[in-house]
């Protein structure tokens, strides 16, 4: 996966416990311009311009909506797979990620 939630966070937590509570995965708001928004108190907004200059093709050649839809599909597929083994997944906050939105606790 090209996403830390599906690539690391869900697999590790799923291997360790049966009930997985998820926070901080808000997803992509419909008006987001890039990948998705970040909390202003934890994101390095002042570093975005140098990042875009250093890696222009990432920002120029990425279809953000398509990228997000792929991540959303991956999230649903992983969670459904875990649920087939009796794992339970709960989003403890609202999320724009469909797989999490429908599992909000």
């Amino acid at each position: 996966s090209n996403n830390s939630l599906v690539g690391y966070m869900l697999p590790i937590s799923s291997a360790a416990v049966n009930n997985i509570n998820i926070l901080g995965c808000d997803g992509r708001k419909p008006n987001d311009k890039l990948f998705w928004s970040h909390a202003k108190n934890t994101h390095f907004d002042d570093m975005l311009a140098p990042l875009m200059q250093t890696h222009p093709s990432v920002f120029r050649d990425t279809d953000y909506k398509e990228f997000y839809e792929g991540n959303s599909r991956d999230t649903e597929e992983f969670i459904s797979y875990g649920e087939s083994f009796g794992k339970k997944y709960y989003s403890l906050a609202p999320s724009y990620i469909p797989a999490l939105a429908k599992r909000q606790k």
Side-chain angles (χ1 to χ4, degrees), residues 62-100:
T62 299
D63 180 327
Y64 300 110
K65 186 174 185 256
E66 183 178 302
F67 178 85
Y68 184 69
E69 288 170 354
N71 283 323
S72 293
R73 278 190 306 276
D74 291 348
T75 303
E76 178 60 47
E77 288 175 11
F78 186 94
I79 289 176
S80 293
Y81 182 72
E83 288 172 338
S84 75
F85 290 95
K87 304 292 179 175
K88 304 280 188 207
Y89 300 86
Y90 304 102
S91 180
L92 300 184
S95 177
Y96 288 96
I97 301 169
L100 300 182

Side-chain angles (χ1 to χ4, degrees), residues 41-58:
N41 60 343
T42 60
H43 194 249
F44 300 105
D45 283 338
D46 57 330
M47 296 300 295
L48 187 56
L51 181 64
M52 292 173 98
Q53 291 170 350
T54 306
H55 303 283
S57 66
V58 171

Side-chain angles (χ1 to χ4, degrees), residues 2-24:
N2 61 2
N3 175 306
S4 59
L5 175 63
V6 178
Y8 303 103
M9 295 160 61
L10 290 176
I12 292 169
S13 59
S14 297
V17 296
N18 289 324
N19 294 313
I20 296 93
N21 295 307
I22 303 163
L23 273 170

